[in-house]
Amino acid sequence: MERAELIIKTSQQKSEGYYFKALCQGRRGQITGLLNSISAIAPFKKAMETAAKLDPYLEEGGPHRALGRLYQDLPIFLGGNLKTAIKNFKLAVKYGPHHPENHLFLARALYENERIEEAEKSLNFFFLIESNPEEKKEGRELLKVIQTRLKKSVLHDQRTHNQ
């Protein structure tokens, strides 16, 4: 946190300072728990939005990826918003198309938003990119859920159509 503050002090136009400051705030919030970190939400958003404005390509779309996670994970009464999360994840994909988490997080958010076919497409991109074993496992699990859901939908449509 101190280094991030130093970067911001020496150069307010360096996105890294804002980005790493927000990451530190977010990590601190995860450690202390949601109720103890409510006051950190607004500064986190402001720092990440500043980082995104200064350099949306930083860490392969990292500021938008972090904002997407925030909006996806926060309860609605604290500002959580799945549509805003999806918007940010799509921007993360735009600025970091070769970063696997961008596609994985977008797929998860699309699935949660009942946009099943779009989620499957995002996962297909995810599997084309080199990722770590944990991410691959998470992607396979999500794909299995999506494919099961799509099969059920097709079977339901066929039964409805045949009646």
Side-chain angles (χ1 to χ4, degrees):
M1 184 71 103
E2 290 171 7
R3 287 185 182 206
E5 291 286 351
L6 182 62
I7 292 170
I8 293 169
K9 276 185 185 177
T10 58
S11 177
Q12 291 186 354
Q13 295 304 307
K14 284 198 133 210
S15 60
E16 292 89 348
Y18 298 98
Y19 180 69
F20 290 115
K21 178 182 178 180
L23 288 179
C24 289
Q25 291 168 325
R27 185 69 183 131
R28 187 181 295 158
Q30 288 176 330
I31 292 169
T32 61
L34 182 61
L35 293 178
N36 293 325
S37 61
I38 290 173
S39 63
I41 294 169
F44 174 90
K45 281 177 28 178
K46 183 178 181 189
M48 271 305 169
E49 288 168 352
T50 301
K53 285 178 188 167
L54 292 172
D55 183 6
Y57 292 93
L58 177 67
E59 296 281 318
E60 299 184 76
H64 288 292
R65 184 172 53 251
L67 286 166
R69 296 284 308 267
L70 175 73
Y71 285 110
Q72 184 177 21
D73 294 345
L74 274 181
I76 292 171
F77 67 90
L78 290 177
N81 185 315
L82 200 49
K83 288 181 182 179
T84 304
I86 290 168
K87 177 183 162 194
N88 276 283
F89 288 138
K90 285 184 174 186
L91 288 168
V93 166
K94 175 183 175 182
Y95 296 117
H98 303 293
H99 191 78
E101 285 184 329
N102 292 343
H103 296 280
L104 183 60
F105 295 155
L106 175 59
R108 189 181 317 128
L110 289 167
Y111 177 78
E112 287 179 28
N113 196 239
E114 301 294 323
R115 294 161 65 178
I116 310 303
E117 291 168 355
E118 287 178 74
E120 184 182 39
K121 285 179 187 177
S122 186
L123 273 179
N124 289 336
F125 283 109
F126 165 77
F127 287 116
L128 295 174
I129 302 167
E130 185 67 33
S131 60
N132 69 45
E134 191 175 307
E135 290 169 340
K136 283 182 183 177
K137 181 182 176 192
E138 188 177 340
R140 284 191 300 270
E141 289 171 1
L142 181 56
L143 184 60
K144 188 186 292 184
V145 170
I146 287 171
Q147 289 175 337
T148 300
R149 184 106 179 256
L150 287 171
K151 285 178 188 175
K152 285 181 182 178
S153 177
V154 168
L155 289 173
H156 179 266
D157 289 347
Q158 287 175 346
R159 287 186 194 138
T160 306
H161 183 71
N162 289 338
Q163 291 179 354

